[in-house]
Amino acid sequence: MRTMHVPMDLETYNNLLALLVDSPDQDCAVRPFKLYEEMKDDCREGVLKPDLQTFSHLLQACERTGAFDKAFDLLSEMKLEFGLLPDTNMYNKLLGFCVLQRDEHRASSLFEEMKNGKVQPNVHTYNSLMNVFAENPAELLAQMFDDMIRQNIPPNRRTYNTLMRSCQRQGDYDKAFKLFEELKAEPLEPDVVTYNILIDMCKERIDFLQGNASSGAAANPNRRNEEQQESRIKGVCMLASSLFNEMDEKEIRPNTFTYNALMGVLARCADLRIFTVFHSMKEDAEEEEKDRHKLQVLLDNGDLMDSEGALMLAGLGDNTNGNGILMDDKSGAALRGHYQRLLIGDDYLARQSAFGVKPDITTYHTLLTAAERMGKAETAYELFDEMKEHGIQPDVVTYIKMMGVCCLNKETDRAYDLFQEASEKMVVPDIELYNAFVNVLAEAGDPEVFDSFQRFTTDRTNNLKPNHKTYNTMIKVCTKLRREGDPGPNDPLPTDEDGLRSREELIAIRNTERQQKGLAIYSEMCDNNCPVKPNADTYGALLDVCHLTKDIERARSVVDDMQARGLVPTITTYNKLMMVFVAANDPAIREIFDMLKQRNDPGPNLETYTILLAFYSARADPQCLHLFEDMKKTGIDPDCRVFNIMLQYCAKLRDDVVRAKKKSLKFFFELKLRELTPDIDTYNALMEVFAVTGDPLIFKVFEEMIENSIVPNKTTFSTLIKEKKGLDMLRKAGEKGLLDPHPDAIEEGGLIPPD
């Protein structure tokens, strides 16, 4: 128009800018800035002057091209050259750019400028501001929220989602759910982002309870609370499932992130429902794939453009409240997904809010983890093949998980094939993948692991360097090496030049050889030329080797060497040391325990007491009773395993069966009083106490086992059979139907606590 000498007014310029900004043609992306330069020429001639709408279009162009710094240059021009002051919407747009850049300084300046210019902020202003400072302490966001309320600015759903995300970053599980209840109390409805944050937090909560949080801190490292922790974990799993069901009730469509988060929860609980959820996910994905084909036809025919109108149709416009026209026939999800990818990209937060469902590599990683935890190796192999069939290429993490699956059945050949496959597919070499492969060989006790390690460390074409895990795994191998050469109880004894050796002597010789291999690896780590030096896990592995050989002196020297190298032994270190004394049946184990009691840093923990109690119980040593009381006085609560040890101690009091019965019932009653759940070992220990005299309480034990769905095992029957009176009671239990349980056969009542 200018070349034709047609005058351009402000309205024409603004309309042209709007067309260029909304054009789907990527070549038009930078043209608004060229048009603006032409416009400035007219401004210099005094023909026209840009207005706020002009700069609003230009900021949209900056957003589309990612030219965020240019947006702030335009802001300066707008104020200094044309005397225009931004309005609330423009400030909000600029604060949005600060969110994308995590530019806290610039966002603070803009907000101060708003206040100084008496520009009234709105909910979008505060939402953007909170998102900029989202990674700061939650107290800062709480202050912003309070400031917002003081100004009578009602929060919206995005406000609550932002605050909940902040709680997620801070690990404040309870506060997030409190905000969720506040949101529902307002005239607001949660959306897919809300539920995704909460379900994802359920997954993180389970990590915390299981001691797998990124901080490395367990919710409670004391084993006494394992039952309570298991109950809490199940509760969190139920909560995540109920949130997912609530989405369905509210007709809020889950997305890929939702499914992955829920399956992440179920995987951590080894819950079989994960495969049902995966089936539902695939059904949704197939449905949406059909919708995508419909959408593609519309796009190919040019019936849809990347314009505000199309965004409103997709339910993404500012005035749609998330309800698109096409949502009724379910094709809206595909449409929304298309436009959302144009708007927000593919980062973590984008995935939380993205529309559409399609299994991705995270889905399969989660399923592989679940299959491994459940011991379902074949299921894992099927999933691995399925992901490749669907065009999802395995990465390093995938192959590491598959190595974990190979460990289940000690499938060294399959592990080797997978390792080769990873190399051939040009998966980036990774020391953790090699460590996972070596771990399969270690778990299988495959002697080939040493040759593999030798080739790995001497291969000059290999850019990978072994790390602590590599060396520590190699030491662990020594405790697991296949013992084909060890004579079995019925095998003929081999001979050598010294003549016939005893079976115990031969096993001791082989164990010594294994120990020497472990010490050789340790010596290599101690070499000045080795980049990897021993750590706490190294010494723990060495103590395990000493346990194998019952070598107390070597175990003591391992701990001394650890301290000489500036490493402080933990309670786990001392517990492993005590286990060496147990293997050697050496009463000097008490010296280690007393030393820990005196130092109290570290002091004995539940595991320490358990080790010593088991040692005394096996010897029918009365010190077992004193130690049990001492443990409780120090504030360490016994768990089910400790009570089982005490019951086993009672079973060894064969010279005083009355006392044995009385004490066993006392311990059993205390176990229940502490709300601990008896297991098969508990009932077997009681059987052993009652079998000597053929006590009728054997029937009560069987009845309670039926009530608790605990099936008798070989130990149960052998315990009764080895005693004449016990065998007689076993026959009678069979006649009563207690060995073939049916609900009608269960009589009321349980074991009677002692007076």
Side-chain angles (χ1 to χ4, degrees):
M1 291 177 68
R2 292 191 67 182
T3 55
M4 297 171 64
H5 303 288
V6 176
M8 299 268 288
D9 60 11
L10 179 60
E11 184 178 356
T12 307
Y13 271 117
N14 284 344
N15 287 337
L16 283 172
L17 283 170
L19 286 171
L20 291 171
V21 168
D22 287 338
S23 173
D25 187 352
Q26 291 299 316
D27 293 336
C28 293
V30 296
R31 289 181 64 185
F33 304 121
K34 294 180 180 178
L35 184 61
Y36 173 61
E37 292 302 321
E38 294 178 12
M39 186 180 186
K40 284 201 292 185
D41 290 340
D42 285 345
C43 292
R44 294 186 188 99
E45 296 171 7
V47 177
L48 53 80
K49 178 183 175 183
D51 60 6
L52 284 179
Q53 188 178 9
T54 310
F55 285 98
S56 178
H57 290 317
L58 290 169
L59 291 182
Q60 279 184 269
C62 291
E63 180 180 23
R64 183 173 175 183
T65 58
F68 303 125
D69 288 334
K70 187 174 183 63
F72 289 96
D73 292 339
L74 287 167
L75 175 66
S76 297
E77 281 188 28
M78 183 182 88
K79 293 188 294 185
L80 298 176
E81 292 188 27
F82 302 107
L84 295 172
L85 297 177
D87 60 7
T88 301
N89 289 335
M90 190 168 288
Y91 274 117
N92 289 347
K93 176 74 74 175
L94 292 164
L95 283 169
F97 296 163
C98 293
V99 173
L100 295 170
Q101 294 183 300
R102 282 286 180 264
D103 193 334
E104 296 180 2
H105 176 72
R106 192 173 263 170
S108 299
S109 298
L110 284 171
F111 191 62
E112 285 300 314
E113 190 177 302
M114 284 185 77
K115 289 195 290 185
N116 294 335
K118 300 191 183 308
V119 179
Q120 181 61 37
N122 60 19
V123 65
H124 304 299
T125 313
Y126 279 98
N127 285 345
S128 295
L129 198 61
M130 283 191 273
N131 271 290
V132 173
F133 291 91
E135 294 183 7
N136 283 267
E139 291 77 14
L140 179 60
L141 271 69
Q143 289 174 12
M144 295 178 186
F145 181 74
D146 292 342
D147 186 43
M148 180 177 165
I149 299 301
R150 277 196 299 271
Q151 296 190 57
N152 295 318
I153 299 173
N156 63 11
R157 183 169 57 203
R158 187 185 173 205
T159 313
Y160 281 103
N161 286 348
T162 301
L163 290 169
M164 287 161 61
R165 273 205 189 104
S166 173
C167 292
Q168 183 178 19
R169 290 188 182 95
Q170 303 292 328
D172 196 338
Y173 177 84
D174 295 329
K175 177 66 174 174
F177 278 90
K178 184 180 177 183
L179 287 166
F180 178 56
E181 294 304 321
E182 287 180 17
L183 181 152
K184 291 196 289 186
E186 297 280 347
L188 298 171
E189 283 292 329
D191 62 1
V192 67
V193 177
T194 315
Y195 285 102
N196 283 351
I197 293 168
L198 294 173
I199 296 173
D200 202 39
M201 285 195 78
C202 288
K203 182 180 68 177
E204 293 169 358
R205 181 67 172 180
I206 292 174
D207 282 339
F208 172 74
L209 292 171
Q210 292 178 336
N212 299 323
S214 57
S215 64
N220 192 324
N222 199 327
R223 201 187 67 232
R224 68 184 171 86
N225 276 331
E226 280 184 0
E227 270 190 28
Q228 291 93 327
Q229 298 293 42
E230 191 62 32
S231 176
R232 291 190 190 106
I233 289 168
K234 287 180 181 177
V236 176
C237 185
M238 289 175 61
L239 175 59
S241 300
S242 68
L243 288 168
F244 188 77
N245 292 334
E246 190 176 303
M247 289 179 70
D248 186 52
E249 291 167 6
K250 292 179 178 290
E251 298 185 351
I252 297 172
R253 291 175 65 88
N255 59 14
T256 301
F257 190 98
T258 318
Y259 276 110
N260 286 347
L262 178 60
M263 288 193 290
V265 170
L266 297 172
R268 285 158 172 77
C269 300
D271 192 319
L272 282 167
R273 288 179 297 171
I274 186 173
F275 300 111
T276 305
V277 173
F278 179 52
H279 180 71
S280 299
M281 183 184 193
K282 290 196 288 187
E283 286 183 339
D284 278 5
E286 289 170 7
E287 188 178 284
E288 289 185 6
E289 187 59 33
K290 296 174 185 175
D291 296 335
R292 286 189 186 92
H293 287 303
K294 295 179 188 176
L295 174 61
Q296 195 60 49
V297 171
L298 294 172
L299 291 168
D300 292 344
N301 293 339
D303 294 334
L304 292 175
M305 295 177 64
D306 297 328
S307 63
E308 184 63 28
L311 291 175
M312 289 182 68
L313 184 66
L316 289 170
D318 290 336
N319 301 315
T320 61
N321 297 319
N323 298 312
I325 296 171
L326 297 184
M327 289 299 282
D328 292 339
D329 66 0
K330 298 184 179 180
S331 59
L335 185 65
R336 288 161 73 88
H338 168 73
Y339 285 112
Q340 193 177 53
R341 282 190 293 276
L342 296 176
L343 287 172
I344 61 175
D346 190 36
D347 63 4
Y348 175 78
L349 296 183
R351 290 195 300 277
Q352 269 195 339
S353 55
F355 297 95
V357 175
K358 187 176 183 180
D360 57 14
I361 196 163
T362 302
T363 311
Y364 284 99
H365 284 172
T366 304
L367 289 163
L368 291 174
T369 298
E372 181 190 351
R373 289 190 177 193
M374 296 178 197
K376 294 180 173 292
E378 289 306 316
T379 301
Y381 298 135
E382 290 170 9
L383 288 165
F384 182 65
D385 291 338
E386 180 183 310
M387 71 178 285
K388 291 190 287 186
E389 288 169 8
H390 284 80
I392 300 174
Q393 293 302 314
D395 61 6
V396 171
V397 175
T398 315
Y399 283 105
I400 290 174
K401 289 183 180 294
M402 289 307 298
M403 293 299 172
V405 173
C406 291
C407 281
L408 293 174
N409 297 321
K410 300 178 173 54
E411 297 179 84
T412 55
D413 290 342
R414 195 189 286 265
Y416 179 79
D417 291 341
L418 285 166
F419 191 72
Q420 288 298 110
E421 180 183 315
S423 302
E424 290 167 5
K425 289 186 177 294
M426 303 300 289
V427 171
V428 177
D430 185 271
I431 187 60
E432 293 306 323
L433 175 57
Y434 175 76
N435 288 345
F437 168 62
V438 168
N439 191 55
V440 179
L441 301 182
E443 288 295 323
D446 191 337
E448 286 294 320
V449 68
F450 292 103
D451 292 335
S452 172
F453 181 67
Q454 184 67 23
R455 289 193 298 271
F456 177 76
T457 53
T458 56
D459 184 359
R460 297 189 179 280
T461 64
N462 181 14
N463 293 324
L464 299 178
K465 301 298 179 186
N467 59 15
H468 280 106
K469 192 171 183 179
T470 317
Y471 280 100
N472 293 344
T473 301
M474 292 304 300
I475 295 174
K476 183 181 78 171
V477 173
C478 301
T479 65
K480 295 177 176 289
L481 279 175
R482 285 185 200 149
R483 303 185 180 184
E484 290 95 345
D486 294 351
N490 300 317
D491 294 337
L493 292 173
T495 59
D496 58 19
E497 65 248 9
D498 297 327
L500 195 67
R501 291 181 180 271
S502 71
R503 184 173 287 104
E504 290 73 19
E505 283 181 311
L506 286 168
I507 292 175
I509 290 170
R510 301 271 160 71
N511 285 343
T512 301
E513 291 170 356
R514 293 174 182 119
Q515 178 174 287
Q516 289 170 349
K517 283 182 178 291
L519 292 172
I521 295 166
Y522 172 63
S523 296
E524 184 178 332
M525 294 180 75
C526 294
D527 189 278
N528 291 332
N529 295 322
C530 182
V532 179
K533 300 303 176 188
N535 63 7
D537 291 337
T538 310
Y539 290 102
L542 285 170
L543 288 171
D544 289 337
V545 174
C546 294
H547 177 265
L548 184 72
T549 56
K550 307 176 185 178
D551 191 339
I552 292 174
E553 290 308 311
R554 176 64 69 178
R556 286 184 184 275
S557 69
V558 164
V559 176
D560 291 342
D561 191 32
M562 180 181 185
Q563 292 173 309
R565 291 181 176 274
L567 295 173
V568 179
T570 64
I571 190 60
T572 302
T573 310
Y574 286 111
N575 288 343
K576 284 179 177 286
L577 177 61
M578 288 176 66
M579 287 302 297
V580 180
F581 282 81
V582 171
N585 196 25
D586 191 329
I589 185 175
R590 184 68 191 226
E591 296 174 9
I592 307 297
F593 179 81
D594 290 340
M595 178 267 292
L596 291 171
K597 287 273 286 185
Q598 290 171 4
R599 288 187 182 178
N600 202 32
D601 185 24
N605 64 2
L606 178 59
E607 185 64 22
T608 318
Y609 276 99
T610 304
I611 292 167
L612 193 54
L613 282 169
F615 180 80
Y616 287 145
S617 175
R619 295 165 149 238
D621 191 325
Q623 288 189 78
C624 194
L625 298 171
H626 301 301
L627 188 65
F628 180 72
E629 294 302 322
D630 177 67
M631 177 180 68
K632 292 189 290 183
K633 286 177 182 176
T634 58
I636 297 176
D637 293 334
D639 65 355
C640 186
R641 184 178 161 198
V642 168
F643 279 107
N644 291 348
I645 290 170
M646 299 311 295
L647 290 170
Q648 289 158 8
Y649 167 76
C650 294
K652 290 180 172 58
L653 302 177
R654 300 176 68 88
D655 294 337
D656 191 347
V657 291
V658 175
R659 180 167 171 259
K661 176 181 175 179
K662 185 176 180 180
K663 283 196 170 295
S664 64
L665 288 174
K666 175 180 177 293
F667 287 128
F668 186 71
F669 179 62
E670 186 178 343
L671 178 149
K672 289 195 162 185
L673 197 63
R674 290 176 179 271
E675 298 184 348
L676 297 172
T677 304
D679 59 18
I680 185 62
D681 294 330
T682 313
Y683 293 114
N684 285 345
L686 284 170
M687 290 287 193
E688 192 171 357
V689 174
F690 303 147
V692 178
T693 59
D695 196 304
L697 283 177
I698 288 173
F699 301 143
K700 294 294 185 183
V701 174
F702 272 121
E703 288 168 5
E704 193 162 309
M705 288 174 71
I706 294 170
E707 290 174 5
N708 293 330
S709 301
I710 295 178
V711 180
N713 60 13
K714 291 180 180 179
T715 304
T716 314
F717 296 116
S718 64
T719 297
L720 294 170
I721 290 170
K722 70 183 180 182
E723 300 288 345
K724 184 177 179 181
K725 292 182 180 180
L727 178 60
D728 185 50
M729 296 303 288
L730 181 62
R731 289 195 188 99
K732 291 179 180 179
E735 292 168 3
K736 286 176 172 282
L738 297 176
L739 305 185
D740 184 19
H742 185 276
D744 295 337
I746 302 174
E747 299 177 6
E748 290 186 3
L751 296 176
I752 303 170
D755 295 331

